[in-house]
Amino acid sequence: MSVPMIVVDAFTAIPFSGNPAAVCILPETPSEQWMQDVAREMNLSETAFLVRQQYGFDLRWFTPTVEVQLCGHATLASAHVLWEEGYLLPGEQARFHTVSGLLTANRKGDWIELDFPSQPEESAIPPPGLLSSLGVEPEYVGRNRSDYLVLVDSEETLREIRPDWAALGRVECRGITVTSRSASNDYDFVSRFFAPSSGILEDPVTGSSHCCLGAFWGARLHKTELVAYQASTRGGVVKMKLVGDRVLLGGQAVSVMHGKIG
């Protein structure tokens, strides 16, 4: 099977920054093993697989080692490809049927807005190894169904974290979000996201973590619209609007590679 494969940098308008995702548009659903093999071959934080159906597209996401239940940047990349490659008309809504329910995307000028479920956290006792592997003294630790959230005192502390990857990979969760207030007036908060147990050491820009971070910082800052920066080496910007139990995630995207696989 030879199918198109497009690599997109998401949550950025600048090539070779943001978070790269591979997008594979398929005529029919292949085996899970084939999708996992392709994702391992691409060796990006996520590879998205789309199959057209009557009312949108089936969408699944794979890291190099596992299938995940929700991925923001690969969904953003998928929507970008559908419009750029002519699978959808410019004003048409992208509709994705996923294990996390129906997700939609709309174009807003140069930005794409994703409609995702909010995933708020609750206060949690840090599991063994979490804080020592990060080397931080937290102001707060929370957990939602997928991830731990660790609040630290400053952006400087956040940027200086050098995890013990082996120890962090033994923490049982999808990933760990570390966050703080931003030192810049341009952003409400900053974050980093680590997921060694899911085959990703540090994710460059993580849309799904902002489904938790939006609610977390919205409550603390008494705001329903926020702008955040994910302070990885590549970096990226995420806008958020809180609407009930949904989070509208705004980002930009740019295609950097076209090819075929199979």
Side-chain angles (χ1 to χ4, degrees):
M1 177 168 47
S2 180
V3 294
M5 177 72 74
I6 301 170
V7 176
V8 176
D9 288 340
F11 291 111
T12 182
I14 303 169
F16 317 123
S17 61
N19 199 355
V23 179
C24 187
I25 301 176
L26 299 155
E28 58 186 17
T29 303
S31 70
E32 289 186 4
Q33 186 61 57
W34 186 88
M35 290 187 282
Q36 188 65 76
D37 288 344
V38 170
R40 185 172 60 251
E41 184 75 14
M42 297 307 296
N43 200 33
L44 298 173
S45 55
E46 263 89 15
T47 298
F49 298 92
L50 297 108
V51 178
R52 187 187 287 275
Q53 58 145 278
Q54 186 176 3
Y55 300 108
F57 291 82
D58 289 327
L59 172 60
R60 295 172 72 173
W61 312 275
F62 286 77
T63 78
T65 59
V66 296
E67 183 174 9
V68 295
Q69 294 186 334
L70 188 67
C71 179
H73 88 279
T75 306
L76 180 70
S78 297
H80 168 79
V81 166
L82 292 178
W83 285 308
E84 184 177 68
E85 300 298 315
Y87 290 90
L88 294 176
L89 297 174
E92 194 174 357
Q93 183 182 68
R95 298 174 62 83
F96 301 109
H97 301 274
T98 79
V99 293
S100 292
L102 175 66
L103 307 176
T104 61
N106 293 284
R107 296 181 76 169
K108 302 288 183 179
D110 293 334
W111 291 69
I112 295 171
E113 190 173 78
L114 306 175
D115 185 342
F116 268 39
S118 179
Q119 295 192 328
E121 94 306 330
E122 296 181 349
S123 179
I125 297 172
L130 173 61
L131 301 181
S132 60
S133 63
L134 293 171
V136 299
E137 292 291 335
E139 295 188 343
Y140 172 84
V141 176
R143 166 125 199 202
N144 63 14
R145 67 174 185 168
S146 301
D147 308 321
Y148 281 98
L149 183 148
V150 178
L151 174 66
V152 295
D153 61 349
S154 69
E155 182 172 336
E156 181 181 10
T157 297
L158 178 141
R159 288 180 177 272
E160 289 180 350
I161 292 172
R162 301 293 183 268
D164 177 336
W165 297 117
L168 196 62
R170 291 192 288 270
V171 177
E172 293 186 4
C173 62
R174 182 193 69 150
I176 298 97
T177 301
V178 183
T179 188
S180 76
R181 285 293 302 267
S182 174
S184 166
N185 291 329
D186 293 333
Y187 308 109
D188 294 295
F189 65 88
V190 294
S191 69
R192 293 173 69 186
F193 186 82
F194 309 115
S197 65
S198 298
I200 306 160
L201 296 183
E202 180 166 3
D203 197 35
V205 193
T206 315
S208 60
S209 69
H210 289 79
C211 294
C212 176
L213 287 165
F216 178 81
W217 283 108
R220 280 157 178 75
L221 301 178
H222 306 290
K223 299 176 73 172
T224 57
E225 296 190 16
L226 305 107
V227 182
Y229 182 75
Q230 190 153 331
S232 65
T233 301
R234 293 172 64 100
V237 177
V238 183
K239 293 181 178 181
M240 287 145 284
K241 295 180 183 177
L242 308 179
V243 184
D245 62 354
R246 309 292 292 182
V247 181
L248 305 183
L249 301 175
Q252 295 177 285
V254 56
S255 297
V256 294
M257 188 182 302
H258 291 71
K260 290 186 177 181
I261 193 162

